[in-house]
């Protein structure tokens, strides 16, 4: 006998497109942000496994390490159609161009044809073909949790999780240093040209709500390449280092201190470096952990 409520279809937006969903039973999550969202909603029993590229920090460092241990690690490569089909997945959670990709042949449209449901991080929807949707990063996080709550029919749990995250966010914002926001440069990677955070990714909200100003906030993009001249011109007082991959934060700091293009930056001369964990920087509940830590850092810096 089937549970009638669980088999009912629910219409929820996937970016700007209304899509009908039935409650998934074999979810594949791509990267920590997707898995964290599901685990935070108490949905471990609905998760079959996760795909985690090697640049990501170990899952044992996650607040949901015990939940990761209950599901399968399906691959340490980028998301692809084969791993999803082999897993007999009925639902895939990832971002547009960070998981789903035309080039790699795994898109929501392709999965629809295979009768595999999919969901995209709202934060990544701003340039999704045909059905774009643009929201600020934290608003996008809360939207995802609410939408996943509807898909899995755990709306009340989602409301509680979102309310708690919003309460924590507002507490940091209320304590943010007064006066002109501190100019902040996020350094992801790159030596010839730096890779950084535009206005469409969580660090933009982390920096802004803590009392800083992302020097590339006006760029309507997610993770993007800029030039060192524009960094120098902005005179950042703080550098946020995104920590992931095979180049530790310490090595990135060493590069910034030695490079003639960056060693005279106010932040570098004052040794004002803040290390942001990868999973605090991509869309997921840990964004608020990053906000709380960076808020504390800025408050202590400006005393």
């Amino acid at each position: 006998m089937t549970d009638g409520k669980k088999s009912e279809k629910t219409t929820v937006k996937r970016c700007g497109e209304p899509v009908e969903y039935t409650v998934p039973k074999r979810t594949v999550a791509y990267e920590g942000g997707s898995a964290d969202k599901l685990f935070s909603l108490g949905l471990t029993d609905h998760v079959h496994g996760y795909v985690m590229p090697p640049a990501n920090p170990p899952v044992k460092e996650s607040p949901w390490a015990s939940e990761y241990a209950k599901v399968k690690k399906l691959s340490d490569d980028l998301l692809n159609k084969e791993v999803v089909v082999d897993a007999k997945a009925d639902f895939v959670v990832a971002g547009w161009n960070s998981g789903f990709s035309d080039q790699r042949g795994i898109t929501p449209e392709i999965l629809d044809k295979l009768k595999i449901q999919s969901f995209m991080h709202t934060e990544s929807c701003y340039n999704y073909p045909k059905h774009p949707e643009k929201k600020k990063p934290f608003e996008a996080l809360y939207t995802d949790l609410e939408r996943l709550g509807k898909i899995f029919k755990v709306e009340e749990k989602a409301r509680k999780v979102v309310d708690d995250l919003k309460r924590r966010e507002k507490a940091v914002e209320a304590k943010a240093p007064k006066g002109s926001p501190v100019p902040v440069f996020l350094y992801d990677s790159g030596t010839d040209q730096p890779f950084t955070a535009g206005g469409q990714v969580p660090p933009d909200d982390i920096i802004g709500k803590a009392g800083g100003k992302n020097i590339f906030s006006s760029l309507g993009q997610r993770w993007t390449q800029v030039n060192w001249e524009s960094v120098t011109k902005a005179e950042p007082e703080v550098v946020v280092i995104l920590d992931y991959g095979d180049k530790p934060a310490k090595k990135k700091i060493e590069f910034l201190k030695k490079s003639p293009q960056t060693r005279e930056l106010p932040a570098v001369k004052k040794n004002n470096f803040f290390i942001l964990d990868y999973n605090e920087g991509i869309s997921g509940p840990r964004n608020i952990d990053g906000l709380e830590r960076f808020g504390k850092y800025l408050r202590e810096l400006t005393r």
Side-chain angles (χ1 to χ4, degrees), residues 51-67:
V51 174
M52 197 73 73
N56 286 241
V59 297
K60 67 177 184 291
E61 295 174 8
S62 166
W64 294 280
S66 60
E67 304 311 300

PDB file of all heavy atoms in Angstrom, residues 51-67:
ATOM      1  N   VAL A  51      28.013  13.265  -4.950  1.00  0.00           N
ATOM      2  CA  VAL A  51      29.163  13.383  -5.848  1.00  0.00           C
ATOM      3  C   VAL A  51      30.001  14.532  -5.315  1.00  0.00           C
ATOM      4  O   VAL A  51      29.495  15.647  -5.141  1.00  0.00           O
ATOM      5  CB  VAL A  51      28.705  13.654  -7.294  1.00  0.00           C
ATOM      6  CG1 VAL A  51      29.899  13.924  -8.199  1.00  0.00           C
ATOM      7  CG2 VAL A  51      27.884  12.478  -7.820  1.00  0.00           C
ATOM      8  N   MET A  52      31.278  14.274  -5.031  1.00  0.00           N
ATOM      9  CA  MET A  52      32.108  15.283  -4.383  1.00  0.00           C
ATOM     10  C   MET A  52      33.475  15.377  -5.065  1.00  0.00           C
ATOM     11  O   MET A  52      34.336  14.530  -4.852  1.00  0.00           O
ATOM     12  CB  MET A  52      32.290  14.922  -2.904  1.00  0.00           C
ATOM     13  CG  MET A  52      32.759  16.056  -2.043  1.00  0.00           C
ATOM     14  SD  MET A  52      31.469  17.294  -1.739  1.00  0.00           S
ATOM     15  CE  MET A  52      30.405  16.410  -0.584  1.00  0.00           C
ATOM     16  N   PRO A  53      33.686  16.390  -5.913  1.00  0.00           N
ATOM     17  CA  PRO A  53      34.990  16.552  -6.559  1.00  0.00           C
ATOM     18  C   PRO A  53      36.108  16.697  -5.531  1.00  0.00           C
ATOM     19  O   PRO A  53      35.870  17.173  -4.415  1.00  0.00           O
ATOM     20  CB  PRO A  53      34.829  17.835  -7.379  1.00  0.00           C
ATOM     21  CG  PRO A  53      33.356  17.971  -7.576  1.00  0.00           C
ATOM     22  CD  PRO A  53      32.733  17.413  -6.335  1.00  0.00           C
ATOM     23  N   PRO A  54      37.335  16.309  -5.900  1.00  0.00           N
ATOM     24  CA  PRO A  54      38.434  16.275  -4.928  1.00  0.00           C
ATOM     25  C   PRO A  54      38.838  17.629  -4.356  1.00  0.00           C
ATOM     26  O   PRO A  54      39.440  17.687  -3.291  1.00  0.00           O
ATOM     27  CB  PRO A  54      39.591  15.660  -5.734  1.00  0.00           C
ATOM     28  CG  PRO A  54      39.212  15.786  -7.164  1.00  0.00           C
ATOM     29  CD  PRO A  54      37.721  15.775  -7.213  1.00  0.00           C
ATOM     30  N   ALA A  55      38.505  18.724  -5.030  1.00  0.00           N
ATOM     31  CA  ALA A  55      38.859  20.055  -4.506  1.00  0.00           C
ATOM     32  C   ALA A  55      38.083  20.391  -3.241  1.00  0.00           C
ATOM     33  O   ALA A  55      38.474  21.269  -2.473  1.00  0.00           O
ATOM     34  CB  ALA A  55      38.596  21.129  -5.565  1.00  0.00           C
ATOM     35  N   ASN A  56      36.965  19.696  -3.013  1.00  0.00           N
ATOM     36  CA  ASN A  56      36.118  19.980  -1.851  1.00  0.00           C
ATOM     37  C   ASN A  56      36.763  19.515  -0.551  1.00  0.00           C
ATOM     38  O   ASN A  56      37.442  18.486  -0.524  1.00  0.00           O
ATOM     39  CB  ASN A  56      34.763  19.285  -2.003  1.00  0.00           C
ATOM     40  CG  ASN A  56      33.879  19.955  -3.027  1.00  0.00           C
ATOM     41  OD1 ASN A  56      32.802  20.425  -2.719  1.00  0.00           O
ATOM     42  ND2 ASN A  56      34.324  19.998  -4.270  1.00  0.00           N
ATOM     43  N   PRO A  57      36.529  20.238   0.550  1.00  0.00           N
ATOM     44  CA  PRO A  57      37.036  19.791   1.855  1.00  0.00           C
ATOM     45  C   PRO A  57      36.420  18.432   2.228  1.00  0.00           C
ATOM     46  O   PRO A  57      35.329  18.101   1.774  1.00  0.00           O
ATOM     47  CB  PRO A  57      36.553  20.884   2.817  1.00  0.00           C
ATOM     48  CG  PRO A  57      36.299  22.082   1.954  1.00  0.00           C
ATOM     49  CD  PRO A  57      35.833  21.538   0.642  1.00  0.00           C
ATOM     50  N   PRO A  58      37.086  17.648   3.073  1.00  0.00           N
ATOM     51  CA  PRO A  58      36.560  16.338   3.475  1.00  0.00           C
ATOM     52  C   PRO A  58      35.206  16.466   4.177  1.00  0.00           C
ATOM     53  O   PRO A  58      34.993  17.389   4.964  1.00  0.00           O
ATOM     54  CB  PRO A  58      37.622  15.808   4.452  1.00  0.00           C
ATOM     55  CG  PRO A  58      38.838  16.646   4.236  1.00  0.00           C
ATOM     56  CD  PRO A  58      38.370  17.961   3.716  1.00  0.00           C
ATOM     57  N   VAL A  59      34.299  15.513   3.886  1.00  0.00           N
ATOM     58  CA  VAL A  59      32.961  15.583   4.486  1.00  0.00           C
ATOM     59  C   VAL A  59      33.011  15.374   5.998  1.00  0.00           C
ATOM     60  O   VAL A  59      32.084  15.766   6.703  1.00  0.00           O
ATOM     61  CB  VAL A  59      31.980  14.580   3.831  1.00  0.00           C
ATOM     62  CG1 VAL A  59      31.778  14.925   2.367  1.00  0.00           C
ATOM     63  CG2 VAL A  59      32.439  13.147   3.991  1.00  0.00           C
ATOM     64  N   LYS A  60      34.086  14.787   6.499  1.00  0.00           N
ATOM     65  CA  LYS A  60      34.193  14.588   7.964  1.00  0.00           C
ATOM     66  C   LYS A  60      34.268  15.922   8.706  1.00  0.00           C
ATOM     67  O   LYS A  60      34.039  15.976   9.916  1.00  0.00           O
ATOM     68  CB  LYS A  60      35.384  13.697   8.311  1.00  0.00           C
ATOM     69  CG  LYS A  60      36.751  14.285   8.028  1.00  0.00           C
ATOM     70  CD  LYS A  60      37.858  13.333   8.484  1.00  0.00           C
ATOM     71  CE  LYS A  60      39.248  13.919   8.311  1.00  0.00           C
ATOM     72  NZ  LYS A  60      39.648  14.050   6.898  1.00  0.00           N
ATOM     73  N   GLU A  61      34.569  17.010   7.979  1.00  0.00           N
ATOM     74  CA  GLU A  61      34.614  18.334   8.597  1.00  0.00           C
ATOM     75  C   GLU A  61      33.232  18.997   8.657  1.00  0.00           C
ATOM     76  O   GLU A  61      33.073  20.074   9.215  1.00  0.00           O
ATOM     77  CB  GLU A  61      35.572  19.244   7.815  1.00  0.00           C
ATOM     78  CG  GLU A  61      37.024  18.787   7.872  1.00  0.00           C
ATOM     79  CD  GLU A  61      37.947  19.613   6.984  1.00  0.00           C
ATOM     80  OE1 GLU A  61      37.490  20.648   6.431  1.00  0.00           O
ATOM     81  OE2 GLU A  61      39.123  19.230   6.838  1.00  0.00           O
ATOM     82  N   SER A  62      32.248  18.364   8.054  1.00  0.00           N
ATOM     83  CA  SER A  62      30.903  18.946   7.996  1.00  0.00           C
ATOM     84  C   SER A  62      30.162  18.799   9.320  1.00  0.00           C
ATOM     85  O   SER A  62      30.344  17.811  10.036  1.00  0.00           O
ATOM     86  CB  SER A  62      30.100  18.238   6.898  1.00  0.00           C
ATOM     87  OG  SER A  62      28.719  18.544   7.022  1.00  0.00           O
ATOM     88  N   PRO A  63      29.289  19.765   9.643  1.00  0.00           N
ATOM     89  CA  PRO A  63      28.415  19.595  10.811  1.00  0.00           C
ATOM     90  C   PRO A  63      27.497  18.377  10.654  1.00  0.00           C
ATOM     91  O   PRO A  63      26.957  17.874  11.622  1.00  0.00           O
ATOM     92  CB  PRO A  63      27.585  20.884  10.835  1.00  0.00           C
ATOM     93  CG  PRO A  63      28.322  21.857   9.978  1.00  0.00           C
ATOM     94  CD  PRO A  63      29.083  21.064   8.974  1.00  0.00           C
ATOM     95  N   TRP A  64      27.306  17.938   9.395  1.00  0.00           N
ATOM     96  CA  TRP A  64      26.456  16.779   9.107  1.00  0.00           C
ATOM     97  C   TRP A  64      27.295  15.558   8.733  1.00  0.00           C
ATOM     98  O   TRP A  64      26.864  14.702   7.956  1.00  0.00           O
ATOM     99  CB  TRP A  64      25.461  17.119   7.993  1.00  0.00           C
ATOM    100  CG  TRP A  64      24.488  18.154   8.423  1.00  0.00           C
ATOM    101  CD1 TRP A  64      23.366  17.977   9.186  1.00  0.00           C
ATOM    102  CD2 TRP A  64      24.545  19.562   8.154  1.00  0.00           C
ATOM    103  NE1 TRP A  64      22.731  19.179   9.412  1.00  0.00           N
ATOM    104  CE2 TRP A  64      23.443  20.167   8.784  1.00  0.00           C
ATOM    105  CE3 TRP A  64      25.432  20.364   7.433  1.00  0.00           C
ATOM    106  CZ2 TRP A  64      23.191  21.531   8.716  1.00  0.00           C
ATOM    107  CZ3 TRP A  64      25.192  21.732   7.364  1.00  0.00           C
ATOM    108  CH2 TRP A  64      24.082  22.310   8.003  1.00  0.00           C
ATOM    109  N   ALA A  65      28.488  15.446   9.289  1.00  0.00           N
ATOM    110  CA  ALA A  65      29.389  14.319   8.975  1.00  0.00           C
ATOM    111  C   ALA A  65      28.701  12.975   9.217  1.00  0.00           C
ATOM    112  O   ALA A  65      28.870  12.027   8.440  1.00  0.00           O
ATOM    113  CB  ALA A  65      30.661  14.422   9.811  1.00  0.00           C
ATOM    114  N   SER A  66      27.913  12.882  10.285  1.00  0.00           N
ATOM    115  CA  SER A  66      27.235  11.611  10.600  1.00  0.00           C
ATOM    116  C   SER A  66      26.202  11.257   9.541  1.00  0.00           C
ATOM    117  O   SER A  66      25.936  10.074   9.284  1.00  0.00           O
ATOM    118  CB  SER A  66      26.564  11.685  11.982  1.00  0.00           C
ATOM    119  OG  SER A  66      25.596  12.724  12.002  1.00  0.00           O
ATOM    120  N   GLU A  67      25.626  12.280   8.888  1.00  0.00           N
ATOM    121  CA  GLU A  67      24.631  12.023   7.826  1.00  0.00           C
ATOM    122  C   GLU A  67      25.334  11.588   6.536  1.00  0.00           C
ATOM    123  O   GLU A  67      24.867  10.679   5.848  1.00  0.00           O
ATOM    124  CB  GLU A  67      23.778  13.269   7.592  1.00  0.00           C
ATOM    125  CG  GLU A  67      23.080  13.798   8.833  1.00  0.00           C
ATOM    126  CD  GLU A  67      22.334  12.718   9.607  1.00  0.00           C
ATOM    127  OE1 GLU A  67      21.421  12.089   9.034  1.00  0.00           O
ATOM    128  OE2 GLU A  67      22.694  12.484  10.779  1.00  0.00           O
TER     129      GLU A  67
END
